[in-house]
Amino acid sequence: MKLIVTIFILLSGIYSLQVFATDKKDKTAELYEFPDAMAQPVRNQFMVLCEKGRILYDISCGKCHNTKVNGKTIIPDFTIEQLGAYSIRVANQKHEMNVSEENVSAEELALITTYLTYKKKNH
């Protein structure tokens, strides 16, 4: 499973670089909310990290956390406290098993957290 996730991360990185080299960059940027003071080169790097995190979220988290409303997938807005609990793997016993180091590495969890931090919030 880790090999498959690693391959997805590598492919997503290549894909993300291609996306940013085209006019699709603007559409990808619309998915995220970055601080206004964040410089564009840093913002571009965070978009790559967020895209990797989005893929990992879909693989590891989405099946339990996402909901469907009128046929549209809704990704929850997690609080900073909730994301912090995940990062130290103490959210609850179910998560300690499903989000264990064997299933989701610390690096993968950091990418997921980055994605969830900067994804546009549901309004």
Side-chain angles (χ1 to χ4, degrees):
M1 179 66 175
K2 277 200 167 286
L3 178 61
I4 293 171
V5 171
T6 302
I7 291 170
F8 273 117
I9 291 171
L10 291 173
L11 290 176
S12 71
I14 293 168
Y15 172 75
S16 295
L17 291 174
Q18 291 172 344
V19 166
F20 298 128
T22 68
D23 59 2
K24 292 182 182 179
K25 177 180 176 182
D26 293 333
K27 291 185 186 252
T28 302
E30 292 173 6
L31 300 175
Y32 304 107
E33 295 176 338
F34 297 111
D36 291 336
M38 186 181 279
Q40 192 61 47
V42 175
R43 188 178 299 234
N44 291 345
Q45 291 173 354
F46 268 86
M47 279 193 280
V48 171
L49 296 175
C50 287
E51 282 297 293
K52 291 177 183 180
R54 182 185 58 78
I55 292 167
L56 290 166
Y57 173 87
D58 288 343
I59 293 168
S60 302
C61 312
K63 62 184 170 274
C64 294
H65 287 289
N66 292 351
T67 57
K68 291 271 189 188
V69 176
N70 296 327
K72 182 180 177 188
T73 300
I74 304 297
I75 299 167
D77 294 332
F78 292 92
T79 65
I80 296 298
E81 292 79 17
Q82 289 170 318
L83 293 174
Y86 278 106
S87 69
I88 57 174
R89 301 175 194 269
V90 296
N92 64 41
Q93 183 148 5
K94 179 181 176 186
H95 289 123
E96 287 180 34
M97 292 179 351
N98 294 335
V99 190
S100 70
E101 185 69 33
E102 292 84 31
N103 296 328
V104 179
S105 72
E107 181 181 358
E108 293 166 340
L109 193 55
L111 289 167
I112 292 167
T113 301
T114 299
Y115 162 66
L116 293 171
T117 298
Y118 293 108
K119 80 165 190 68
K120 281 208 174 181
K121 304 300 181 231
N122 303 311
H123 298 285

